[in-house]
Amino acid sequence: MIGRALRLLDAFDAQRRELTLSELARRADMPLSTAHRLMQELCAWGAVERDADGLYRIGLRLWELGSLAPRGPGLRETALPFLEDLSQITKENVQLAVREGTEVVFVERIAGSGAVPVLTRVGGRFALTATGVGLVLLAHAPAEVQEEVLGGPIDRYTAKTVTDPRQLRRMLADTRANGFSISDRQVTMDALSVGAPIRDRHGEVIAAVSLVVRHGSTTPHALARLVRTSAQAISRALSA
Amino acid sequence: MIGRALRLLDAFDAQRRELTLSELARRADMPLSTAHRLMQELCAWGAVERDADGLYRIGLRLWELGSLAPRGPGLRETALPFLEDLSQITKENVQLAVREGTEVVFVERIAGSGAVPVLTRVGGRFALTATGVGLVLLAHAPAEVQEEVLGGPIDRYTAKTVTDPRQLRRMLADTRANGFSISDRQVTMDALSVGAPIRDRHGEVIAAVSLVVRHGSTTPHALARLVRTSAQAISRALSA
DNA sequence: TAAGGGCTTCCATTTTCCGGAAACACCGCT
DNA sequence: AGCGGTGTTTCCGGAAAATGGAAGCCCTTA
């Protein structure tokens, strides 16, 4: 069963990049002998590595494979110059993200020189309902995804986080109508983000870009124009 | 069998980031029905993705996992500021690489503003015998690796590529003695690279950094000082 | 309309994986 | 030294899952 091996790999995360065999077996909930055999196979192929200390880590081989993901590094490559422009002009935080299931995955993040510290990490995940990029991606997601997200429990991060499905639906409609989203202090009380959709050649929304600024520092609509323009430029670059 | 699934993933490379089921089965040399079932499992987990066009691609999930590799993105993170300094000061190309088996794997590459175009790609591989980083990593590799590399056939890229094992051994000895390596036009006739070792807290060489400059533009020894200093700074940052 | 290429499903066979158990290695503690 | 604790490795028979040929489906092209 291939699922077993994948469960083992799942045991790694940003906090735990190095694990002992026992920890792996515990976290993946399987007998030690099974974990041992599977890890040996993964090791032989290079998916994981292990040195004298006996700890397992994600291997280079897996990283190489991962860097072939079109929606990850592929997207990142073509978008990067535009994101840097945006960062240069505004001196604010720029984020690039895609949707995976019912979550946002951050693909790139450029920290602006004098900007609010952001808590997202490249490769990290977040709820679709709170961030600027999340709202854009949710607004253009298939109906079934929207229902699943709006029907389920909605995480609250601050007093300003919108958790009412009716209100969220209105925000999504606005996002579609305006071509940009605003998340005002929904993640932290000192930050606001403005997101815009990136489309493929067929017009499908495949990613989102956003600016994250300190609350009150600028008017959202000024940012919206910049972000939308940048998103459109990226869309064009992708279609070329 | 887990090896089967890994063989399928191996079918992807930088040239072929999107494959049909048939191509996958062909490249991994297995029946269509087997490939189909395995790809379905990988898809369900998110290791690969597939949209309406039916093509398979590496999935985000795999990219996320890959970005947990300590020797890849982990090393990159701590080294990046130093590499950028080096790039700022010299305006030349900076490369960061590690050894995997008998090859160099490039972990980061910063293109200098007015520098020679380099042909390496992040996540790409190269022979240990030709580049500046390769010579450093080979010079400090276990004896068995050195034997395997020097004993086997040695790729030639230019008229200046050193392919004689005796001469290579001398270069490796020099590299160890000097604390830096010089690859003079061994990869392309217009470029020269100078590499230096990055060590972990135990003094083991775990990576290498290099400057790649146009041949004749600067004296190698001036570069060597810069690269060595930078490599030592990175080593210290890693041990902290 | 027929042929070709690609994709998906089915299912009996057989191969492989599974995981308990036992042994091993290495601590720190008494 | 002896002892409990923790982590690792190997073994092997029973059980379960992978395998891949075949047949059917859906396109596009000739």
Side-chain angles (χ1 to χ4, degrees), chain A residues 10 21 29 35 63 67 86 103-104 112 117 121 147 158 177 208 224 238-239:
Chain A
D10 256 335
L21 181 62
D29 188 37
W63 171 67
S67 43
L86 208 48
E103 290 179 306
V104 167
R121 192 183 69 83
E147 293 317 313
T158 71
L238 286 172
S239 301

Side-chain angles (χ1 to χ4, degrees), chain B residues 157-223:
Chain B
Y157 303 99
T158 72
K160 296 275 289 180
T161 305
V162 177
T163 58
D164 173 33
R166 293 176 54 88
Q167 195 178 345
L168 271 170
R169 276 182 213 280
R170 220 166 19 242
M171 292 175 67
L172 297 181
D174 289 346
T175 299
R176 280 186 297 266
N178 299 334
F180 64 89
S181 69
I182 298 180
S183 157
D184 186 2
R185 287 166 286 175
Q186 291 203 59
V187 179
T188 62
M189 281 307 277
D190 56 359
L192 170 153
S193 76
V194 179
I198 295 173
R199 298 168 187 274
D200 66 8
R201 70 191 68 219
H202 310 300
E204 291 293 306
V205 173
I206 54 166
V209 59
S210 76
L211 280 171
V212 182
V213 306
R214 182 174 303 280
H215 165 69
S217 65
T218 329
T219 138
H221 283 75
L223 297 173

Side-chain angles (χ1 to χ4, degrees), chain B residues 65-93:
Chain B
L65 254 190
S67 42
L68 298 177
R71 293 209 298 152
L75 171 64
R76 177 185 173 281
E77 267 173 47
T78 61
L80 198 52
F82 300 96
L83 303 181
E84 273 169 351
D85 288 350
L86 207 49
S87 164
Q88 288 287 320
I89 294 170
T90 61
K91 311 289 182 201
E92 302 285 0
N93 299 300

Side-chain angles (χ1 to χ4, degrees), chain A residues 1-3 5-6 9-10 12-14 17 41-42 45 49 57-74 76-77 98 100 105-107 121-123 125, chain B residues 1-3 5-6 9-10 12-14 17 41-42 45 49 57-74 76-77 98 100 105-107 121-123 125:
Chain A
M1 177 93 114
I2 200 178
L6 297 174
L9 293 176
D10 256 335
F12 293 93
D13 61 34
R17 300 188 184 207
E41 290 193 61
L42 289 171
W45 185 74
E49 297 176 352
R57 320 164 215 292
I58 298 293
L60 269 187
R61 200 65 201 283
L62 214 48
W63 171 67
E64 287 183 58
L65 254 190
S67 43
L68 298 177
R71 293 209 298 151
R76 177 185 173 281
E77 267 173 46
V98 299
E100 165 111 319
V105 177
F106 290 96
V107 170
R121 192 183 69 83
V122 170
R125 291 174 174 255
Chain B
M1 176 91 116
I2 201 177
L6 297 174
L9 292 177
D10 255 337
F12 292 93
D13 60 33
R17 299 186 185 209
E41 290 194 60
L42 290 172
W45 185 75
E49 298 177 351
R57 321 164 214 291
I58 298 293
L60 270 187
R61 200 63 200 284
L62 215 49
W63 172 68
E64 286 182 59
L65 254 190
S67 42
L68 298 177
R71 293 209 298 152
R76 177 185 173 281
E77 267 173 47
V98 299
E100 164 111 318
V105 177
F106 290 96
V107 170
R121 192 182 69 82
V122 169
R125 291 174 173 255

Side-chain angles (χ1 to χ4, degrees), chain A residues 82-83 85-95 112 114-116 132 136 178-185 190-197 209-232:
Chain A
F82 300 96
L83 303 180
D85 287 350
L86 208 48
S87 163
Q88 288 287 320
I89 295 172
T90 62
K91 310 290 183 199
E92 302 286 359
N93 298 301
V94 179
Q95 297 191 314
V116 224
V136 168
N178 298 334
F180 66 89
S181 68
I182 298 181
S183 157
D184 185 2
R185 287 167 285 174
D190 57 359
L192 170 152
S193 77
V194 179
V209 59
S210 76
L211 280 171
V212 182
V213 306
R214 183 174 302 281
H215 165 68
S217 66
T218 329
T219 138
H221 284 75
L223 297 174
R225 286 196 37 182
L226 285 170
V227 178
R228 278 184 57 183
T229 310
S230 183
Q232 283 162 11

Side-chain angles (χ1 to χ4, degrees), chain A residues 68, chain B residues 11-19 23 27 56 58:
Chain A
L68 298 177
Chain B
F12 292 93
D13 60 33
Q15 280 68 45
R16 306 176 179 254
R17 299 186 185 209
E18 308 186 340
L19 295 173
E23 280 176 77
R27 288 169 74 87
Y56 288 95
I58 298 293

Side-chain angles (χ1 to χ4, degrees), chain B residues 1 20-22 33 36 50:
Chain B
M1 176 91 116
T20 67
L21 181 61
S22 321
S33 56
H36 180 249
R50 179 179 215 194

